[in-house]
Amino acid sequence: MKNQRLKAVAVSTVLSASALMGSVAMADQTLDAVLQVGQAKTTLAQDSQKRIDRLAQETDELTQQFKQQNKLIEDLRVFNAQMEKQVAKQLEVVSDLEQSIEKVTVIERQIQPLIFRMLDSLDQFVSLDKPFDVQERKDRIQSLRNNQDRADISVSEKFRQVLEAYKIESAYGSTIEAYKDTLNVNGQEREVNVLRVGRISLMYQTTDAKESGAYDPTAKEWIALDSSYNSRILKGLRIARDQASKDIMVMRVQAPEAAQ
């Protein structure tokens, strides 16, 4: 009887141990499942955090791009406003230029006849003036007349050239010059040295320095001078050629005439 009880207790103990082992096994399986679920949640949380971080970074990048675009738009607005002002000023300049062009066209129509009158006056002046550098001066006027027919020279340039010719003629009155020429002396063509002192005196001397003469504007011809002028004219020729220092010259000049 006692043995049966011990067997029963042993069987009961074995059954209890088996049950406990089964419970532990089930608990382990449950714990593993819980851990797996926790790990899955952790992985999901990590993935979600990564997506959140990525979205946050993309948001920051988009925000920066948005700010840059806004700054660019603002710069373009300022630039466009400035360009509008410049265009408005340029339109004003264009308008002024159009008016100036119209005025220039009118002025050109008025200047061309003026140039012809100036050339005629200059030609007449040279013809009435003392006969020095005659060919050179007449060639200059003829060249200016020829230029009037050229389309490649502007009206302003033509006018400037005529003014330059007037300046050259004006300068003759305050300069001294010596040059060679051929004149009729005592019925013979002779090579002579011509001395021009401004426009007050025009004289000549033969190359052998033995004969001298002067231009008489009243008679409009060359007249002979006595030998006393030979040394004076020779000195003047040397001064004009920078072969002697500047000095006082005694020359034959035309007497002043009473005003009419």
Side-chain angles (χ1 to χ4, degrees):
M1 190 70 177
K2 185 177 180 181
N3 289 334
Q4 292 179 347
R5 289 180 179 175
L6 289 172
K7 290 180 179 179
V9 169
V11 170
S12 177
T13 303
V14 169
L15 292 174
S16 297
S18 298
L20 180 60
M21 290 294 291
S23 298
V24 170
M26 290 180 64
D28 288 341
Q29 292 177 356
T30 302
L31 180 60
D32 290 341
V34 170
L35 290 175
Q36 290 177 358
V37 171
Q39 183 64 36
K41 289 183 177 179
T42 301
T43 302
L44 289 174
Q46 290 176 347
D47 293 341
S48 297
Q49 186 62 45
K50 290 179 180 179
R51 287 196 296 271
I52 292 172
D53 292 342
R54 185 173 65 254
L55 290 174
Q57 183 178 358
E58 292 176 353
T59 302
D60 289 340
E61 292 177 353
L62 290 174
T63 301
Q64 292 298 324
Q65 292 179 5
F66 178 75
K67 291 181 180 179
Q68 292 176 358
Q69 291 298 321
N70 278 343
K71 180 65 168 59
L72 178 60
I73 292 172
E74 184 62 27
D75 292 342
L76 288 174
R77 286 176 180 172
V78 175
F79 176 76
N80 288 337
Q82 183 64 30
M83 290 303 297
E84 287 177 357
K85 292 181 181 179
Q86 292 183 6
V87 170
K89 290 293 184 182
Q90 290 175 352
L91 290 176
E92 293 179 2
V93 172
V94 169
S95 178
D96 293 340
L97 287 175
E98 289 176 349
Q99 296 178 3
S100 299
I101 290 172
E102 292 178 358
K103 293 179 181 178
V104 167
T105 303
V106 174
I107 292 174
E108 284 186 354
R109 289 198 297 265
Q110 296 174 345
I111 286 181
Q112 193 62 66
L114 174 61
I115 291 176
F116 285 123
R117 291 196 297 271
M118 292 176 68
L119 288 175
D120 290 341
S121 297
L122 190 60
D123 196 359
Q124 184 180 13
F125 177 79
V126 171
S127 298
L128 296 175
D129 197 15
K130 291 181 174 61
F132 62 88
D133 296 329
V134 176
Q135 193 59 47
E136 176 186 340
R137 296 160 75 190
K138 286 188 174 295
D139 289 345
R140 183 183 300 115
I141 296 173
Q142 186 57 48
S143 176
L144 293 174
R145 290 191 185 277
N146 294 338
N147 286 346
Q148 302 312 305
D149 298 330
R150 292 179 56 178
D152 60 326
I153 301 178
S154 64
V155 175
S156 59
E157 175 61 18
K158 294 175 183 178
F159 186 66
R160 188 200 66 78
Q161 291 176 358
V162 174
L163 290 180
E164 184 67 23
Y166 269 77
K167 290 180 181 179
I168 293 173
E169 287 293 331
S170 176
Y172 286 137
S174 58
T175 57
I176 181 172
E177 177 186 18
Y179 62 93
K180 290 187 177 296
D181 201 353
T182 301
L183 298 178
N184 189 308
V185 179
N186 298 324
Q188 296 181 351
E189 293 295 325
R190 300 281 301 274
E191 183 179 8
V192 297
N193 294 311
V194 178
L195 174 64
R196 177 184 61 80
V197 181
R199 278 191 166 88
I200 62 174
S201 184
L202 185 63
M203 296 158 286
Y204 74 84
Q205 187 173 79
T206 56
T207 54
D208 57 8
K210 293 182 178 180
E211 298 182 55
S212 301
Y215 182 77
D216 187 341
T218 303
K220 297 187 181 303
E221 62 181 11
W222 294 92
I223 60 173
L225 297 176
D226 60 69
S227 59
S228 63
Y229 283 93
N230 289 348
S231 60
R232 302 174 186 175
I233 295 176
L234 182 60
K235 178 181 178 181
L237 289 169
R238 295 182 62 195
I239 292 175
R241 291 168 176 160
D242 292 328
Q243 296 173 349
S245 59
K246 299 293 188 294
D247 197 359
I248 296 175
M249 295 183 295
V250 180
M251 297 293 170
R252 183 181 185 280
V253 298
Q254 182 181 3
E257 299 178 357
Q260 299 294 328

